Structure formats: C-alpha cells, structure tokens
Amino acid sequence: MSVAALVVTAPSVAARAVSTTASGVQTVAGPQLCSGRTEVDHSAGVVRSLAVDESGRIFVDTGPPGAGIVRKSDGLSVSLLRPGSVQRHRPGESLSDAAPSASRLATDGRGALFVALGAKLVAVDAEGTGLTTLAGDPSALPGAEGRSSAGDGGPVSAATFTSTRSIATDEAHNLFVADRVTHGRSTFRVRFINRSTRPVTFYTGTAQQLTVEPGDIATVAGGAEEGDGGGGDSDGGTALGSVLSGTPPSMAVVGARLYLGMYSPPSDGQPAVSSVRVINLGGTETAAHGLTVPAGGIAIVAGGGVAGFGGDGGNARAASFSQLPGIAADTNGNLYLADERHHRVRKVDSLGIISSVAGVGGISPDDGGFNGNGRLASEARLNRPHDVKVAQGQIYISDSGNHQVRVIDASGVLRAGRGNEPFWKCARSGDTPRKAKWQGLAVGRKGHLYFIDVLGKKLVKRSASDGSIDAVKASKGPMPPDDPGSQVLGGVAVRSDEALYLVDRGGTRISALNIGSRTITIHGVSIEPGSWRTVAGGTAGTDRTGSFGATAMAVDITTGSLLVGDSAGGRLLHIGPMGGVSTVAGNGAPPAARGCCSKPVALAVDPAGNVYVSDAATNRIWFVNRKDRPVTVNGQQVAPGRAGAVAGNGTTTGLRHEAEPATASPISASSGLALATDGNLYFSDTGDHSIRRVDKDGTLTTAVGNGQRGYNGDGLPAALSALDSPTNLALDQCHLVVLDSGNNRVRRVPLGPPCRETVLPPVRRDNRDSSGLAVAGVVLLAVSGGAISLYRRRHRHRHTEQP
C-alpha cells in the first residue's frame, strides 16, 4: 500500500534540531526489537559442539543437554541426525549425554561423525541412519562410581572409559580422546585411537617413545595422577609425566601439535584458572607461538593465570580468558579460542600475540548480543560462542546464545552458516510480538511511523521521540476492523497530523480517523475528534463514490484530494475535496491515459499533482501528467494528459540493469514508491530483494540491498544490507523507510550524509484551514507516496473544503 501525507509550515517558524541520524541500516520495528532493544529467549534451541568436514558439511549439537539432537547442514539443507535407528540403535545406545559437553563431535573424513557419549564413543554413518559403538562398555555410564578407563595397549573395541566428553581428529582422522583418570577426580588423560592401517609413533627418539598399532588405543598425555609423584603440569614438563587437571578440556590437533584448553574451577578459596597448553607429539623440537617446545614436552602458550579477560594485543601467556569450551588451530600456526563468557573468538598467532578476531562483547555473561551477519567479524556481536573450528580456509563458530552457526570467510567477514537461522523472541510481555506481520507504511509530519499489524488486526504508531510502538485507537466508538462489517485493515496513509486514512484489507472502503483535537471535514464528511468515518466506498447506504478495490492511495498535495489505485476496476481514481469521484487513468479515462493502471499497486504524487503509478499488470512504473503542458521527468518526456513509463521494460525476468536507463530493465511489481526532493524516485523491487532508484535523468541504480535474499543485521551500509521481499516505502526527513516484509521488519536507511532530524513546531492557527491541512506562503513540506519534500512557493494556496 503506497502512502501519502500533506503538511505545510510557515516560513517564519524555525525548526528545532533534536538528534543526529545513526549510520547504517536500522530496524525500527520487528521481531528482534522489543521496546527499543534486542531481547533473546534463551530457552530456545541453541548450538553447542561443532564439527566441519573437508567438504564443508557442518555438524552441530543443538541440545538441550541430554537430548542428543545433532543436525547436519550440507550448505543446501539441514537434516536431523535423530531417526529411530540412530536415537535407539540398540538398548542403551543413543546420542544423549546426561552432562553438558565440551567438544564432543568430530568428523572421520568419510562422511561419518564421531560422538563422545560419556563412557563410550559412537559413530553415526554418513546417512545418519546407523549408530556404531567404537569403544566403551554400554553399561559403563558416567554415573558408575569407581569405573576407571582401561584397555591401553590393546584393541579399542575392548577399551573402557570413565568419562569422555572431548574428542579431536588429526589429518589422518585418528582420534584423540580426553578421558577422566578416575571418576569424580579432576585429572584426565589424553588417549589415542589409531584408525589408520599403519603403526603411529609418538615422541620418536625420546624416553617417552610410544607406538600404537592399527586399531589399538593408548594414553599419549597425562599419564600421572595427583599425588603419585608425577611431574606436574607446569611449563617444561613431559607429556606422559604430567598431571593434567581440571574439567575435560577442549582439544585441537594440527601436525605434531596437540592443544588442550584447560580450566580449573574455583575451589578451597582459590580462583578459577584457564589456560591453553600445547604438547609436541613429534620427535624433534617445534616452534609454537613464540616458544620452542622439545619433543614430548608440554608448555603453556596462552593464559595460565586467573580466569578473566585481558591481554589483547600482547603476549598470549600474559592474557586471561574464561573457560574455553572450543579451540581450533590452522596449518599457519594460528590458534583460535572460543572465549564463551566474554562473547569473543580470540586468536593466538604464530608469534604468540593474542587478539580478538570476532566479537565486541563485554566482560560479563550478559554482555552478548547480535548485530547481524555480513559485517567484519571484528565489528560483530557474539553471544556465548561455544565452539570454533577451522576448515577450507574459514573459521566456523557455534554462536550458542544467538542460536546459529556463523562463518568468518577469508576476507574477515562474518556470515551465517547456511541452513542455520536464529530463533528470536521478545522476552517480556507487552513487547512487540514475535509473530507480528506488518503491512502499509506512512510517515507523519512529526516523524511518527504508522503501519498495520495484520495479525493483531490493529493500527500501530512508532513514536519518533522514544521509539515506542503503541496501538492507535479511536476514543469515540470502534474503528476498523472492530467496527461491525469492517474487514481487517489493509493500509494506512497520513493526511495530516490530525487525520489518517485507513483502507479495509479488501479495499472496498476508505475511512478517515481524526486524531486531532477539533472537528475536521474530509471529502465532505464531518469527523469529530477521536472518531472515524467512511469517506469513500463502503457498503450500501454509506457508499459515497461507488464500489472499488483499493490497492494503493496517496494524497494530492495541490488540492488535498485523494488518489486511489483501483485494481478491481483497472483504473486510477481521483476523490475530490467534497467526495466527487473521477477517473484519472486506466479504464474509463481518455485513450491517452489508458495504457497504465490495469493493476495499480503503489502511488506517489509530485508537488504539481502529477502521479507515479506502479502497475503490476504491465510491470512498469508510469508517470501520469495531469497538467496542460509537457513534463520531462526521470529522463522521459510525457505529454499533457498522457501516461509515460519511467521504469521497467514490461518483464520481470532477465538481467537487472545498473547505471543504465530504467526503462530498459526488468522489474518485479513494486508495491512501494517514494519520491524525494531531488527528483529521485525510489521503488521496491520485491522480486530482486532490493530498493532501486531512478534519478532525475532516468538512470537506474540499486539504493539498498546486496542482491541476496535474507537478513544480515543492522548497522551495515545500504549496499551491503540484505532484504527479503521489501514492499512499502516512505521517506522521513533523513531516511528512506522500508517495510522489509520477508524479514518482518520496518527499517530505516540514511540517505546521503548524516543530517539533523527536526521536530517542527505547531503551525499558527491563522495559517490553517478547516480541513486540518496546514497552508503556507513560502515553504511547502509534502509527504507524497511517503516522501517528505521541501519546496518554495511564490503564491499562497488555500484549500476549498469547508467544515
């Protein structure tokens, strides 16, 4: 529904600047915006442990803990690895885990998935239809007191585990498993499962040298327990002689480097400690993050002190972070840490310098957030990132609090993992409902936004002063759609700050609502304050202009008349000040003006009273010259009384033109038009998920939209922002306002350099006529098709309507 309004102010009254526009595209109404701020329902499904294989398939644990729900995304679709044969392959076997997990997923390089399930390891086949136990007695669950891991030096099929919740694979897809030494103790060991066809030797040439035969399992790190005389876990220890203490760690393996993200919770008055250690699995010394680690040695490469946040830009060994549920490493010597509590992914480079590569969150668990994808990862907000993986030159993040997998590409831009979408919900009663559906759009003189909540069956207003969203009601009697016989509201247009037009969703009746403080007359109908009356269309007994099917409307600023797009009649109607109706274009109009308007879906009116019409039947945008002289507009000359196309070639498919004549490009039926003061015409190319601009010379360019259907957040430049099926448009003093229908949002796009938004003071009573429309001698401020425009006039103009 195209919208329009008319406001005029006297030149002697100055406007008052109140604010400066923010940069980037903004959401001003929609499912993420709850009373002006973002809220997340933390009870919605989350994402936790993550695995990515060589082909880019994503496996993610979507919880809740204990549910065993694992999803797979191949970039095209998402499947749930939870058919009956997986969930209950045989008694006692499922993907469930009674306790929260660290990194419990890993791929095998052949399309299958490994899952750590407490006392056992299982594999889910590539089709997700079968589950096989690799190791662990099915009856040895995590709650079995005193059950110790056993079976080292023999076949993995005979091995048992105490509690395995963290696994990792090397380049050959052999498995490393972090297993508690004894149930209930805070120490663990790292066990290795050789899945290759050749023996694998660790620590070659050292006293720790260890060979694991194909199919066998052996402990490769943390062979000592606290109090048994082991060498401890400080710098300079040996892999097999060290005590590894704390919760089951996150792990990563690349080349000969095994990384352990270790965390010891506070106890006995001692603070929590978080660190990352590297173990050199090879037979020669290796360089790691500014350190030289001997064969078989273990060293701290990041943290090691009290858990907290700090150290970015400095040596990682002096940095602090929270528990690291996920870590990853690449072949260039970089280490990535999921600093969950601080809502960041941090990187330790090959020289040992730590930095934040994703997330700008604060230092408390409640500081997480979401500001969209499609932006630099260093400028994005994360919410409790749980796991991180590196594959195909990209960094994958399970952003658990934001309920989606996110990917940092090679250029450092953060994107949504395909097939994963966030689940948003307003957490407090009284906030904008998640399932609200918006339709119609209008901007008032004071900057207030008006639109229809279709599901809520009500007219709503977004206040320009505080951003609040409230229902607009008539104080005297019911208004559509509460009025008996009325249909659901289908559109709204602002006539003035004292009156709104409303149209039934069926388009059969147009009403006017008096939101001012005095009686006004509109189209010959007197309307008291707080009341609404039918001014056009309607049922028998109230019909003022005959029947029609209104699909668009706009105000003629030269007369205060109403223009109506009648798709049912294939015409453009003019409803005069006293309610008389005439046909301007289309069926019933003079032959010269019949080419357009078979199905008008959006209108805009220029200051001279000429009309732009978006016609869904011809897939063009037309200019109807209602004057007695030729007009050159948007690169086209249109004769008096004729309709000329200014955009569209009559088709909806083909190459969308850019920086070329607008009349040569296909466009989809645009249900939104807005005319700016500089003569630029904006229209919503719904099928192309973008907003296009036709300049005064007729050149077509894309004003908003990156060409991809979707939502990638707020704060981005217009060219980088994603839209989904945009429809209605409007213009306020500084922004293009877009009804982003597929994303269920109303969004604002700054136009040009930042400008000062203004609130205009009331117009003096002696400059206002009885219709409620202000008049002025010099300055005319018009909202046409939603566009606010400022023009200078030489002569005073008065409307002829009388109360």
Side-chain angles (χ1 to χ4, degrees), residues 372-377 406 413-416 706 711-713 716-717 720-721:
N373 297 304
R375 64 176 64 238
L376 288 175
R406 308 175 79 178
V413 174
L414 185 67
R415 307 188 186 279
N706 62 9
Y711 174 73
N712 61 355
L716 294 172
L720 299 179
S721 297

Side-chain angles (χ1 to χ4, degrees), residues 358-385:
V360 292
I363 60 174
S364 79
D366 297 325
D367 287 339
F370 181 79
N371 60 355
N373 297 304
R375 64 176 64 238
L376 288 175
S378 58
E379 299 174 356
R381 292 180 66 82
L382 305 178
N383 194 352
R384 292 182 173 272

Side-chain angles (χ1 to χ4, degrees), residues 185-203:
R185 301 289 295 275
S186 62
T187 56
F188 64 90
R189 65 182 63 184
V190 179
R191 305 174 76 185
F192 173 79
I193 299 173
N194 186 355
R195 300 185 62 250
S196 69
T197 58
R198 298 179 180 179
V200 176
T201 300
F202 298 93
Y203 319 128

Side-chain angles (χ1 to χ4, degrees), residues 61-71 80-82 86-87 94-97 104 115 117:
D61 181 355
T62 59
I69 301 176
V70 178
R71 298 181 186 272
L80 180 63
L81 300 184
R82 208 184 160 190
V86 173
Q87 183 66 7
S94 73
L95 295 183
S96 299
D97 185 1
R104 71 172 187 141
V115 185
L117 297 179

Side-chain angles (χ1 to χ4, degrees), residues 243-558:
V243 174
L244 302 179
S245 61
T247 60
S250 50
M251 293 197 302
V253 183
V254 59
R257 301 192 303 273
L258 168 65
Y259 292 94
L260 305 174
M262 299 170 60
Y263 179 79
S264 297
S267 63
D268 300 327
Q270 298 299 313
V273 175
S274 189
S275 67
V276 180
R277 287 167 166 76
V278 65
I279 294 174
N280 182 357
L281 301 172
T284 59
E285 65 180 18
T286 185
H289 313 291
L291 300 176
T292 299
V293 184
I298 182 171
I300 295 175
V301 293
V306 175
F309 180 81
D312 273 6
N315 191 303
R317 286 165 58 90
S320 55
F321 34 79
S322 68
Q323 185 174 3
L324 304 173
I327 63 175
D330 64 23
T331 56
N332 295 320
N334 298 309
L335 174 66
Y336 300 91
L337 318 175
D339 193 352
E340 183 176 40
R341 182 182 178 90
H342 303 120
H343 316 290
R344 299 168 186 253
V345 171
R346 304 172 76 181
K347 181 179 82 170
V348 181
D349 67 17
S350 60
L351 300 178
I353 304 301
I354 189 170
S355 60
S356 294
V357 296
V360 292
I363 60 174
S364 79
D366 297 325
D367 287 339
F370 181 79
N371 60 355
N373 297 304
R375 64 176 64 238
L376 288 175
S378 58
E379 299 174 356
R381 292 180 66 82
L382 305 178
N383 194 352
R384 292 182 173 272
H386 185 85
D387 204 355
V388 59
K389 291 290 186 289
V390 177
Q392 299 180 313
Q394 302 188 120
I395 303 169
Y396 294 77
I397 305 166
S398 64
D399 193 3
S400 66
N402 285 322
H403 321 303
Q404 61 178 306
V405 175
R406 308 175 79 178
V407 184
I408 305 176
D409 64 20
S411 63
V413 174
L414 185 67
R415 307 188 186 279
R418 294 182 64 181
N420 296 275
E421 296 183 357
F423 300 91
W424 293 96
K425 184 178 179 182
C426 291
R428 298 180 299 152
S429 61
D431 287 334
T432 307
R434 179 188 180 198
K435 293 185 178 181
K437 181 180 179 181
W438 313 115
Q439 182 171 313
L441 186 64
V443 179
R445 169 176 171 265
K446 295 180 180 178
H448 303 312
L449 286 176
Y450 297 90
F451 38 91
I452 305 297
D453 176 0
V454 176
L455 298 182
K457 300 181 180 180
K458 59 187 177 183
L459 171 68
V460 294
K461 180 184 82 171
R462 180 189 183 272
S463 171
S465 58
D466 60 10
S468 61
I469 298 176
D470 300 293
V472 179
K473 299 180 180 180
S475 59
K476 297 182 180 180
M479 60 179 283
D482 298 325
D483 176 60
S486 174
Q487 299 184 45
V488 176
L489 292 174
V492 58
V494 178
R495 179 179 172 90
S496 72
D497 276 349
E498 294 183 342
L500 305 173
Y501 284 116
L502 305 171
V503 63
D504 286 351
R505 195 171 188 184
T508 59
R509 175 169 64 173
I510 296 174
S511 306
L513 171 65
N514 185 350
I515 58 175
S517 59
R518 65 191 184 95
T519 300
I520 58 177
T521 300
I522 297 177
H523 304 300
V525 179
S526 179
I527 308 175
E528 295 181 355
S531 300
W532 71 273
R533 294 282 303 277
T534 297
V535 295
T539 59
T542 61
D543 191 338
R544 296 182 53 78
T545 64
S547 61
F548 53 74
T551 49
M553 57 183 176
V555 173
D556 182 347
I557 64 173
T558 62

Side-chain angles (χ1 to χ4, degrees), residues 1 28 36 49 114 229 370 444 508 553 594 633-634 667 695 728 776:
M1 180 65 63
V28 294
S49 300
F114 296 126
F370 181 79
T508 59
M553 57 183 176
R594 292 179 186 174
V633 58
N634 302 111
I667 63 174
D695 68 18
N728 305 115

